[in-house]
Amino acid sequence: MYEGKSSVDEIRRRFDQDVERFSNLETGQSATIDAPLALDLVTQVVARLNPSATALLDVGCGAGNYALKLLQRLPGLDVTLLDLSRPMLDRAVERVTPATTGKVTAIQGDVREVELGREQYDVILAGAVLHHLRGDQEWEHVFAKLYDALKPGGSFWIVDLITHAIPQVQEVMWERYGAYLTGLRDEAYRDHVFAYIEREDTPRTVMYQLDLLRSVGFREVEILHKNNCFAAFGGVKGP
């Protein structure tokens, strides 16, 4: 089913070469509709839900945009940055370290494989990363692992590319996303983005992921924002 999709190493190498673009939220995630809005919503909700948080895990941290945005609302967090790409991690550490009085820890690795421990974090953020998961077993394993890594009362938030279960809905959304990318730059850019999504990504529906959040134990789940093929959503772990 996933034959022809990029390997983990191929994905890592692409991001190794794109550090500068991802060091700016506005330009680095311009292909993501409403990226600044979604990030603002997530961090505002986290600050309201977990005002006494001390520890953040940023999964697929890239150059550190998500951690930096949350530190504006919750300064002094201990921040654990997890990413496949060493150059991305190095840039994230460089940018995040001056923004917090807390400890900054960098982990290079695949969220499917790294050991995260139990009840270590008050907040987990996953921005534009989980769409690289493949079969149901991987999705279930990663969601359960992240649930276990959260402290009681902690929250887990996803901002990501999604798909739609009804084919006609997916067609409409994909056409509209193509028009967005063309308007952002041109048709060549649209084709470039579509090509690497086809090569690298295996997104799931919001409903699939909300059901998965519930099944691994999250007490409450919520959608913060959805526009076209992108959504921000997450869950709160019970006490």
Side-chain angles (χ1 to χ4, degrees):
M1 182 178 180
Y2 303 109
E3 186 177 349
K5 289 288 185 181
S6 297
S7 68
V8 171
D9 281 343
E10 287 170 334
I11 293 170
R12 175 185 54 76
R13 286 196 294 270
R14 182 170 78 83
F15 285 103
D16 282 352
Q17 298 167 16
D18 226 359
V19 175
E20 293 306 320
R21 182 167 68 90
F22 282 95
S23 296
N24 183 305
L25 180 61
E26 299 294 336
T27 60
Q29 294 168 284
S30 58
T32 300
I33 296 173
D34 290 345
L37 171 61
L39 180 52
D40 193 56
L41 283 170
V42 166
T43 54
Q44 187 174 357
V45 166
V46 167
R48 191 71 57 89
L49 271 172
N50 305 111
S52 301
T54 60
L56 163 69
L57 170 63
D58 188 347
V59 179
C61 66
N65 288 329
Y66 282 73
L68 286 169
K69 187 70 173 180
L70 185 57
L71 286 166
Q72 293 175 8
R73 298 183 186 275
L74 293 176
L77 293 172
D78 290 334
V79 179
T80 298
L81 301 164
L82 170 62
D83 204 276
L84 284 173
S85 168
R86 186 77 247 175
M88 284 286 193
L89 270 177
D90 290 344
R91 179 58 59 86
V93 170
E94 176 186 300
R95 298 172 75 215
V96 171
T97 298
T100 183
T101 55
K103 180 182 178 182
V104 177
T105 303
I107 302 173
Q108 183 184 5
D110 188 327
V111 67
R112 289 165 285 206
E113 299 174 355
V114 297
E115 177 57 49
L116 297 176
R118 295 181 61 85
E119 300 185 359
Q120 298 295 309
Y121 306 101
D122 301 285
V123 180
I124 298 177
L125 301 179
V129 61
L130 299 181
H131 61 258
H132 291 135
L133 299 176
R134 302 305 187 207
D136 288 345
Q137 187 174 3
E138 284 191 3
W139 283 87
E140 292 162 7
H141 169 68
V142 169
F143 274 53
K145 175 188 283 192
L146 295 176
Y147 177 84
D148 288 345
L150 270 180
K151 298 176 186 178
S155 62
F156 168 40
W157 298 98
I158 299 163
V159 180
D160 214 342
L161 175 71
I162 58 159
T163 189
H164 301 83
I166 300 171
Q168 293 86 345
V169 174
Q170 177 66 16
E171 288 174 6
V172 169
M173 294 300 180
W174 205 241
E175 289 168 5
R176 293 178 65 87
Y177 183 39
Y180 166 82
L181 293 171
T182 301
L184 192 63
R185 295 193 192 176
D186 52 32
E187 290 183 355
Y189 179 66
R190 176 201 64 194
D191 294 345
H192 168 71
V193 173
F194 279 2
Y196 73 66
I197 289 175
E198 175 63 27
R199 186 169 60 251
E200 292 185 2
D201 303 343
T202 44
R204 295 296 180 99
T205 68
V206 172
M207 296 306 177
Y208 173 89
Q209 293 177 75
L210 292 176
D211 287 345
L212 191 50
L213 287 168
R214 292 188 184 97
S215 73
V216 300
F218 281 93
R219 180 189 65 194
E220 300 287 351
V221 299
E222 190 62 81
I223 300 172
L224 302 184
H225 183 67
K226 179 182 179 297
N227 186 357
N228 198 279
C229 299
F230 297 90
F233 54 97
V236 179
K237 186 173 183 175

